[in-house]
Each structure stands twice: as C-alpha cells, then as structure tokens.
Amino acid sequence: MHILVVEDEPGIARFLKQGLEEENFSVVVASTGPAGLALALAQPFDLLLVDWMLPGLTGLELCRQLRAARHAVPVIFLTAKDTVADTVAGLQAGANDYIKKPFHFEELLERVRVQLRPAVGPPERFGVGPIVLDVGTHQVFKNDEEILLTQKEFALLEYLLRHKGKVCRRRQLIENVWDIHFEYNTGVLDVYMNALRKKLGLSPDDYLQTIRGVGYVARE
Ligand code: CA
C-alpha cells in the first residue's frame, strides 16, 4: 500500500514515514501543498495523509482540487483545527476522515486501516432454489435461463430474497415494493405474486410460499 504524506513540519513527516514504513506501507513525503497535489495527480496512491496548514496551498484546497479532478483516493486530514466548522469544511472539501494533532500513532494507524479496508457491500446476487436475482444487472434466472419480469415483479422478488427465511407481512411488502400506503388487503399483492410464480414456473408450495393471512416467505 502506497501512502502520500503531505506535511511541512519535518519532525512530524519523519515520524509518520518511519512509523508507516514499519507497518509495511510505502511512503512518499511532500512538504508543500503544490508538491503534494502534483504527486497525488501523477501517481496512484492508496491513501493521502494531508496537513491542513501547508505552504503554497492549504490541505483543504489540495483536497478540493483533487476531487475536482475526480480523484477518489481516501484523504485523512491531520490538523490542530478542531471546531465543528473546520470539520465540516474538511468533509465538504472531500476528506474521508480527520485526525486532531497531537495524535497517537496507533490511532492514526487504525484510521488509515479503516480507510484502506475494502468496502463490503451487500451481495449483488440473491437466490432461492433454482432462482437467482442479480441486482447489478437487474436480471433474474431460473436454472441459468433468463426470466423477464416487470419492474414490480422484480422488486417484489428482490424484497423477498433479501429477507429470505423471514416471513414478509403483506403490509410490509406493499409499503416497500409499492412505496405508497396502499390498502394492503386489495389483493394487488396476490395478483403480482401469482404472476411472479407463473413466470418463474413455481407452484405455491415452491420457494415463494404463502403464509395464509400473514404474507409470503422465500425459503429453500
Ligand atoms: Ca503545517
């Protein structure tokens, strides 16, 4: 992992470089704002540690310019400024985190690690039995054969699969899939469920089951 430290106080810059290198990061130090920005734009860094008060260009401005150039690299500010207004300004400039000087190296290291941790999102594919729903491509498959669904059918299936194994109440399904406070006893839900099962070739006992008087559940 490649880290750029933009810090004009030589003691702090040295301390950071040494500490991070001991943790097996590779570290480049820039001591002015313009030098830091030029490096950040020219080389692929995994993270930037940026002092707020820098010669030539403030850390805040550096961050703004980086974001304006569509660089998404995580930025952590190092600063003695700690008012709410400063924190807000830093975050608005596109910083990901904020460490108040003086800081303990252990704390800084932990925050660096949090930023470098790969983002763990919800799984993009859900399934039950032979049915697989891909959120990313908005496709549904049964035994690898694509099944075309309407938007509402897709949303209904997605909701049931996201709550697989749990009974989804009628009101809950109506409110979440239709986004409005539908009268939940109108039978609209049953019409959609029947259409969904028909397209998926499922009987009412297969995978998408009716819980009489309560709702529906997706289960193996
Ligand atoms: Ca400074």
Side-chain angles (χ1 to χ4, degrees), residues 7-9 51-55 101:
E7 169 63 80
D8 61 318
E9 288 168 57
D51 184 29
W52 187 296
M53 298 303 288
L54 289 165
K101 286 179 177 176

Side-chain angles (χ1 to χ4, degrees), residues 138 148-155 192 199:
H138 215 266
L148 297 174
L149 300 181
T150 65
Q151 204 188 332
K152 284 288 174 231
E153 290 163 355
F154 186 95
Y192 273 86
K199 287 190 180 175

Side-chain angles (χ1 to χ4, degrees), residues 27 62 71 77 86 106 127 144 172 186 213 217:
V27 180
L62 187 160
H71 272 247
F77 270 125
D86 291 330
E106 285 305 313
D144 297 327
Q172 182 187 351
T186 55
V217 60

